[in-house]
Amino acid sequence: MTRFPSIDDLRTACNDRPSGDENAARTATARQAVLTKPPGSLGRLEEAAIRLARWQGRDKPALDEVHVLIFAGSHGVTARGVSAFPAEVTAQMVANFSAGGAAINQLAKQAGASLTVTPLEIERPTADFTQAPAMDEADFLRAVEAGFDAVPEGADLVSLGEMGIGNTTAAAALAAALFGGGGADWVGRGTGVDDAGLSRKAEAVDAALACHGETLSDPLEVLRRVGGRELAAMFGAALSARQKRIPVLLDGFVCGSAVAPLARLGEGGLAHAIAGHVSAEPGHRKLLAELGLRPLLDLDMRLGEGSGACLAINILRGALACHNGMATFAEAGVSDG
């Protein structure tokens, strides 16, 4: 049976936004106050530990079951010359993931995380969204469901990423439709387009906004009309994680744009999300500001494939090593002043 028979059913699911465990968060906050350090001296590591406590529902969180989920899709808009790489690179990179040869393979292994790559009909590109909706309703809902079902029960953390030539153009169109502005406000060089390619990207975004008009007032219609299958899947995974009270780690501009409809559908829609990094794609910093998320890392990365988020897993492991392993003042026999 289809999990989401219609967009209205998906909308209903999006309104099911369980809260985190405030008791666990309070207990974790109290623990931070009595560890052998000046209050607040570990800065955002303390915030990260408390956030994980809230969403895992335990005052001493764990990162034993960490899952990196990568989704791949193909985009019809690539026919407009918006990428420095040909569309067939998407399938070639999926093969590289399977062979263990990509950056994300190395980073997931180093972070002690499992890696799952889900290709979403990459042999069948979405429609060119400057002329028609990227996906019909059934196609869109299948992609959302694939992402939703990819999140394992009992995970301690889910880290999201993507692969899809042309998807920074889709991300820019999503951001523009959700938060205002035009193509020039949101596009970047992506895989490395020249000035002419950058202009084509901006023109494609503006053409998409004009094509779809007032239908873009609905965040789910935005994702269906100017997104892509891998973006819809990341949205579904973020929704699934929220319903299962699993914290989710976000990658770059494409990932952030994909899950942004959750924030637009209701206040606190991304309360369970942590921004792993801010990428070199210029729209990402502005997008994070719109979402109210502060990135853990700023390393000028722009690879995608979940790499920045995966690298941030190590920061979270450090946060929990201190939170769970440090002695309290009483345990250490240290005066707390």
Side-chain angles (χ1 to χ4, degrees), residues 68-72 93-94 97-98 104-105 115-119 163:
V68 177
L69 305 179
I70 308 300
F71 302 95
M93 280 302 299
V94 169
F97 296 148
S98 297
I104 190 59
N105 298 95
L115 173 63
T116 303
V117 179
T118 304
M163 175 63 211

Side-chain angles (χ1 to χ4, degrees), residues 69-129:
L69 305 179
I70 308 300
F71 302 95
S74 298
H75 295 262
V77 74
T78 56
R80 295 178 65 95
V82 297
S83 176
F85 285 83
E88 55 264 29
V89 168
T90 299
Q92 292 165 357
M93 280 302 299
V94 169
N96 192 32
F97 296 148
S98 297
I104 190 59
N105 298 95
Q106 320 320 315
L107 293 172
K109 184 185 303 181
Q110 191 269 335
S114 70
L115 173 63
T116 303
V117 179
T118 304
L120 297 152
E121 300 185 64
I122 54 176
E123 73 287 348
R124 185 170 69 90
T126 55
D128 177 354
F129 56 62

